[in-house]
Amino acid sequence: DMLKNLKASMLTKMFPKEGESVPEIRFKGFTEPWKQRKLGELIIKGGSGGTPISSNSNYYNGSIPFLSIADITKSDGFIYDTDKHITEAGLNASSAWVVPKEAISLAMYASVGKVAILKDNIATSQAFYNMIFEDSVIRDCIFQLLKKMELNSEWLPLISTGTQANLNADKVKNLTVNIPKEKGEMKQLSEYLFKLDHLITLHQRKYEKL
């Protein structure tokens, strides 16, 4: 719990507050103000997925992992496998596509704002916006930024209300984010935060074994 509180505090303090261009806490040697970018400008490919018709048994129990809200809700930020799998026929019969590993998937329905890095090639339902980045440094920085948004419920002003709360792809792509100008600062920032994530996971596993 102490580590989780530390991570939450550092996420808030290591990214600029709304309307500001520098964070409260940053690594030594970096003094440049951060720059604003549209999230869609930082990705080389993005898009939601699709769902094969559930009544067609030929579309399921195949070899292609298929991400669901349940998978990302119970994840610790990384997806190695999924509960459901679809077939090649199911993939081709829907708007689903195989998102390459190391991409980010963001939940737009139900668990809105929940985010994870895919550690395998995985297809997703339309409940996710999937983002492929040109390098891991930018990807990791954005991942931690999205974790901060999830933690602080920063998606709430963008959520459409209806039968269920949800985002849409345009809102995600047009999201304005503040990121460091230098990749060196991005790298140090995300490495520190990932170390906290790793410690939290280790202690959680120890606790579960008690």
Side-chain angles (χ1 to χ4, degrees):
D1 287 343
M2 288 174 63
L3 283 169
K4 286 179 179 178
N5 290 336
L6 174 62
K7 172 71 189 291
S9 176
M10 295 309 285
L11 275 173
T12 300
K13 293 179 179 180
M14 295 183 80
F15 286 94
K17 292 181 173 66
E18 187 175 354
E20 299 182 5
S21 60
V22 294
E24 182 180 338
I25 295 175
R26 70 194 305 190
F27 291 97
K28 289 182 179 180
F30 300 105
T31 57
E32 286 282 315
W34 289 23
K35 58 183 177 182
Q36 286 192 336
R37 298 284 298 276
K38 296 286 187 183
L39 183 55
E41 297 171 353
L42 300 171
I43 61 180
I44 58 175
K45 183 180 179 181
S48 57
T51 303
I53 297 172
S54 58
S55 59
N56 192 326
S57 60
N58 293 324
Y59 293 165
Y60 288 89
N61 299 316
S63 60
I64 302 170
F66 186 66
L67 187 67
S68 68
I69 290 294
D71 294 313
I72 202 167
T73 300
K74 67 183 180 183
S75 78
D76 59 358
F78 300 94
I79 304 289
Y80 292 91
D81 199 5
T82 59
D83 289 338
K84 293 181 180 179
H85 291 71
I86 60 174
T87 63
E88 196 74 32
L91 184 74
N92 295 332
S94 70
S95 55
W97 53 291
V98 177
V99 183
K101 65 179 181 180
E102 304 307 332
I104 288 177
S105 279
L106 171 75
M108 296 192 294
Y109 303 167
S111 297
V112 176
K114 191 76 176 176
V115 64
I117 295 174
L118 304 181
K119 304 306 288 185
D120 197 0
N121 301 324
I122 295 174
T124 80
S125 74
Q126 64 273 23
F128 299 94
Y129 188 74
N130 306 295
M131 295 167 271
I132 303 171
F133 294 83
E134 64 179 355
D135 68 53
S136 61
V137 175
I138 297 174
R139 189 272 317 273
D140 289 347
C141 181
I142 293 299
F143 174 78
Q144 294 294 348
L145 172 62
L146 295 175
K147 289 291 288 184
K148 177 186 79 79
M149 292 187 65
E150 175 195 339
L151 178 74
N152 296 331
S153 301
E154 293 177 37
W155 290 107
L156 284 178
L158 300 177
I159 290 176
S160 302
T161 55
T163 53
Q164 64 175 346
N166 62 79
L167 292 171
N168 62 51
D170 285 337
K171 288 179 180 178
V172 177
K173 288 187 293 184
N174 291 318
L175 177 72
T176 299
V177 296
N178 262 328
I179 60 170
K181 287 184 178 179
E182 300 179 53
K183 280 193 175 180
E185 187 171 8
M186 286 189 199
K187 193 170 189 295
Q188 287 194 44
L189 169 69
S190 56
E191 282 181 348
Y192 169 73
L193 294 171
F194 274 123
K195 283 178 182 177
L196 289 181
D197 288 335
H198 181 64
L199 285 171
I200 290 168
T201 300
L202 284 177
H203 284 281
Q204 186 69 37
R205 287 174 180 169
K206 286 180 182 179
Y207 172 76
E208 288 169 355
K209 289 179 181 179
L210 293 177

